[in-house]
Amino acid sequence: MEKLPGDPRYPIFGTEYIFIGASSEELFNIILKLTEKYAPAFRCWNGSLPEIVTMKPEHFEMIMSSSNHITKGQNYNNFHDWLGQGLLTSSGNRWFRHRKLITPTFHFKILENYMNVFVAKTEILLNILDRKADGAVHNIYSEITHCTLDIICESAMGVNINAMFNDDNEYVKCVYEISDIIFWKSLRPYIPLFIFNLFPSGRKLKKNLKILHGFSEKVISDRKKLLKDKQDNKSHNNVIEEEVLGLRKRLSFLDLLIEASEDGKVLNDIDIRQEVDTFMFEGHDTTSASLSWTLLLLGNHPDIQERVFEEVRNVLHDKLTPTSINELNEFKYLERVIKESLRLYPSVPAIIRHTKEEIQIDEYKIPPNVDVVLLIYCVHRDPKVYPNPEKFDPDRFLPENCVNRHPYAYVPFSAGSRNCVGQKFALYEEKTILASIINRYKVTAAKRMEDIQANVDLILRPKRGVLLAFERRS
């Protein structure tokens, strides 16, 4: 390990001493400076645990395409109290079984049924933004976040928590506090749980987990009872309607998991809660960050924004929002805009895998049982792959411009067998919201992109929120 370049290593701290006392945005800058110094790969030590950090597409392919390196890094253990052994954190046979079970719940036909949720919540968001369409600058990060939370709650759990009507939403507050604590822990030498729980952060984590798990458990219990009552009371007419005519009422992600659980034989209540908690976290926080960066980029590039507007009008004509998957699939330019936004600002800027066998990183032989940090943010800005990488250019994703690009040079949803199972869901949701906003408003950013600081904890977010001015289109 010491043959690789990297900062000096010291007892107890390893190389983590460089993060002591740094704020979240300073942490991000420190990591970027290390990559400039040691690219394309270097070693560091999390206490006594070795890590390799890489930002090279060839290294990404070696790890992501391999069925031997699907175990997440040891930092993901910090998620276990919250997400247990859900799809994000599990490995081995358990991960394979759950992935196989969950993948069909994101089938095209099921995603089509979520369009009603996307449209209904987007219309509420537009009504809120109408009150801000006065030409003044407003921070709409909370509105975007609450919209994605409402969408994921109804899609994942089948419940409506009306987050957009409640600025002080307890669920959002708990998720942010837990994210901050987990990120803080991940950049510090390992602290045994019984000691960590004595700190104020440990007590806060325990309190927030009780709230989140209590919410999920109540919803699961209520939903199981509701589904059982519906099954018991189903009339002959309902049977004909659903089974003969093929009209099936839209089911939430939770409903589908309960159906697949076979009364606890395949998934018990804890398994279900862990998967729902995982989907709730990954499905709202990452999407709200992506939407935020895309709106800021469009607000800084009026020419690109107008091209999006023209495309949306050509598809929707006089409609306010898209209402079908077919319409969403027609937004080719908007899709390129979202892809380019995710290139510049991937919601998850890095992922970590744990090696099970020896691997070769350039001229270095890396032993097994080492964590490999894959810096997605940096590989997306590699000037060898993306000329003028800081420039926002959606046409990078024209088919002819992607032909010779390394397939692992663009991985905002990871890649290989552990890619994001909900990426189609996220793309359809973002297209619905963005098309509706640009169709209704001309958006202007309050700051240039170079003046907007990125804040990284578990997710890459704009530090000061989303400062935009809205003007109603005629």
Side-chain angles (χ1 to χ4, degrees), residues 168-281:
D168 192 28
N169 186 275
E170 188 175 48
Y171 194 97
V172 174
K173 185 181 174 187
C174 287
V175 168
Y176 284 171
E177 288 184 353
I178 289 173
S179 298
D180 286 341
I181 293 166
I182 290 175
F183 186 68
W184 182 90
K185 280 183 73 181
S186 69
L187 289 175
R188 304 295 186 279
Y190 174 71
I191 304 171
L193 188 61
F194 72 93
I195 295 176
F196 177 73
N197 286 338
L198 300 176
F199 288 92
S201 292
R203 293 194 294 271
K204 185 189 282 187
L205 179 64
K206 199 172 181 181
K207 177 187 172 186
N208 286 334
L209 288 174
K210 188 175 180 181
I211 292 169
L212 292 188
H213 288 166
F215 174 73
S216 301
E217 285 163 2
K218 184 178 186 311
V219 170
I220 292 167
S221 173
D222 291 348
R223 201 74 188 169
K224 287 182 88 168
K225 185 176 183 304
L226 180 68
L227 291 173
K228 187 176 186 305
D229 289 345
K230 279 187 176 180
Q231 190 68 32
D232 292 344
N233 298 327
K234 188 181 284 185
S235 67
H236 180 66
N237 287 339
N238 285 338
V239 171
I240 292 173
E241 184 181 281
E242 290 187 16
E243 295 179 6
V244 179
L245 300 179
L247 299 173
R248 186 179 175 88
K249 184 174 171 58
R250 174 174 51 82
L251 296 174
S252 69
F253 175 68
L254 171 57
D255 295 338
L256 294 163
L257 286 182
I258 291 170
E259 275 195 354
S261 72
E262 295 180 14
D263 293 327
K265 294 174 191 170
V266 179
L267 297 175
N268 60 35
D269 282 0
I270 293 175
D271 293 331
I272 293 172
R273 191 205 75 207
Q274 290 173 353
E275 297 301 354
V276 169
D277 282 343
T278 298
F279 189 47
M280 289 284 292
F281 162 60

Side-chain angles (χ1 to χ4, degrees), residues 56-58 60-61 335-344 376 378-389 391-412:
K56 191 173 178 180
E58 290 77 10
F60 278 37
E61 182 174 20
E335 182 166 327
R336 297 205 298 273
V337 165
I338 294 170
K339 285 182 174 180
E340 175 68 348
S341 173
L342 283 168
R343 180 189 71 81
L344 285 165
I376 295 170
C378 292
V379 85
H380 282 187
R381 291 171 181 249
D382 185 344
K384 294 174 188 169
V385 181
Y386 301 101
N388 196 5
K391 183 183 178 184
F392 179 56
D393 180 10
D395 286 343
R396 292 182 201 273
F397 291 93
L398 283 167
E400 59 267 28
N401 292 334
C402 298
V403 172
N404 297 318
R405 187 177 298 150
H406 194 287
Y408 287 79
Y410 181 73
V411 286

Side-chain angles (χ1 to χ4, degrees), residues 72 76 82-83 87-89 152 275-288 348 420-421 426 459:
K72 293 294 182 77
Y76 287 79
W82 178 12
L83 306 178
L87 211 56
L88 175 69
T89 52
I152 211 71
E275 297 301 354
V276 169
D277 282 343
T278 298
F279 189 47
M280 289 284 292
F281 162 60
E282 289 197 293
H284 98 271
D285 214 7
T286 52
T287 310
S288 62
V348 180
C420 174
V421 72
I459 305 296

Side-chain angles (χ1 to χ4, degrees), residues 1 9 12-16 43-52 73-75 77 186 188-191 354 369-371:
M1 289 294 295
R9 172 193 179 194
I12 301 175
F13 292 101
T15 57
E16 302 290 283
R43 62 102 188 102
C44 54
W45 293 85
N46 187 346
S48 61
L49 302 174
E51 292 179 346
I52 301 293
Q74 294 179 72
N75 271 334
N77 294 342
S186 69
R188 304 295 186 279
Y190 174 71
I191 304 171
H354 190 71
N369 298 316
V370 170
D371 280 0

